[in-house]
Amino acid sequence: MADDDLENVLTGVGPRLRTLRQARGATLSQVSETTGISLSTLSRLESGQRRPTLELLLPLARVYHVPLDELVGAPATGDPRVHPRPFTRYGQTFVPLTRSLGGLHAYKQIMPAGYGGGGRPEQQTHEGYEWLYVLSGRLRLALGEHDLILGAGEAAEFDTRTPHGFANAGERPVEFISIFGPQGERMHVRARPSKNAG
């Protein structure tokens, strides 16, 4: 790896660490207690004032449940797997699961505890069709006049021209898969009947 590439990888570690910590709703103090890394070291790592080392990154990768190469954002080396780059928008972390420009888009979304402020979520409308599947936590979905709480393993689908909004209905981050069709494109689920059916 060239020196410039190495410097770019190292520069990106701090913001990535902060995003991972905030997505999990953890404070620097909590991460410090869990990893044994001092509060000041963690703060300097996140702000880019401290150069990351393996001794610091390994316990952080464990506590955030991410592979080390994802933590440092190392470039892929011939691995055919997709290496999505998380980004933060509207106070949530989004992990893209698709790379296509058209058709259906899939994301894993991580919504921190307290997102939505506890009241009924503000609703919006736009063209499209959305399908949600909750992985963990509790998601509040305000859909038109309906107010729904979705738990782990529950799914919802709706036309996004119906007013809708989301909030975290629990005390820990909620993680869910969102599949969105921009032009009202719907996801088709096909199931084969069991051999015993009929």
Side-chain angles (χ1 to χ4, degrees):
M1 189 183 290
D3 288 349
D4 285 350
D5 290 340
L6 178 61
E7 200 53 44
N8 287 338
V9 166
L10 293 177
T11 302
V13 171
R16 198 169 289 110
L17 287 171
R18 184 180 295 111
T19 298
L20 285 167
R21 176 177 60 77
Q22 290 174 343
R24 283 152 179 78
T27 64
L28 281 170
S29 299
Q30 290 168 331
V31 176
S32 175
E33 286 175 27
T34 308
T35 60
I37 300 170
S38 76
L39 195 61
S40 64
T41 298
L42 287 171
S43 178
R44 286 172 35 229
L45 263 178
E46 286 192 3
S47 65
Q49 297 171 4
R50 170 82 186 246
R51 194 174 176 94
T53 63
L54 266 181
E55 290 80 6
L56 295 172
L57 293 178
L58 285 173
L60 288 168
R62 273 195 298 271
V63 81
Y64 294 140
H65 304 291
V66 295
L68 191 59
D69 63 342
E70 185 178 322
L71 192 62
V72 298
T77 53
D79 188 336
R81 292 175 294 179
V82 175
H83 296 279
R85 296 284 176 247
F87 61 91
T88 303
R89 190 172 293 161
Y90 317 119
Q92 300 179 64
T93 299
F94 291 76
V95 182
L97 302 176
T98 51
R99 288 196 285 190
S100 60
L101 297 175
L104 295 171
H105 296 274
Y107 297 92
K108 176 181 177 183
Q109 287 178 236
I110 305 167
M111 186 183 287
Y115 185 92
R120 183 169 165 82
E122 185 178 324
Q123 294 179 308
Q124 60 174 338
T125 61
H126 51 87
E127 288 292 320
Y129 202 86
E130 190 159 355
W131 182 90
L132 303 171
Y133 180 82
V134 179
L135 298 168
S136 66
R138 299 175 73 221
L139 179 68
R140 182 175 183 182
L141 169 61
L143 184 62
E145 297 175 4
H146 302 285
D147 207 346
L148 310 165
I149 304 294
L150 303 175
E154 291 189 292
E157 61 176 315
F158 56 93
D159 187 322
T160 55
R161 291 173 295 187
T162 303
H164 60 282
F166 308 103
N168 188 332
E171 296 178 356
R172 60 188 183 98
V174 59
E175 300 188 11
F176 60 99
I177 302 291
S178 172
I179 300 176
F180 173 71
Q183 272 77 46
E185 197 170 345
R186 295 182 64 155
M187 186 175 84
H188 297 284
V189 179
R190 292 188 175 91
R192 284 195 186 130
S194 70
K195 292 179 181 175
N196 298 330

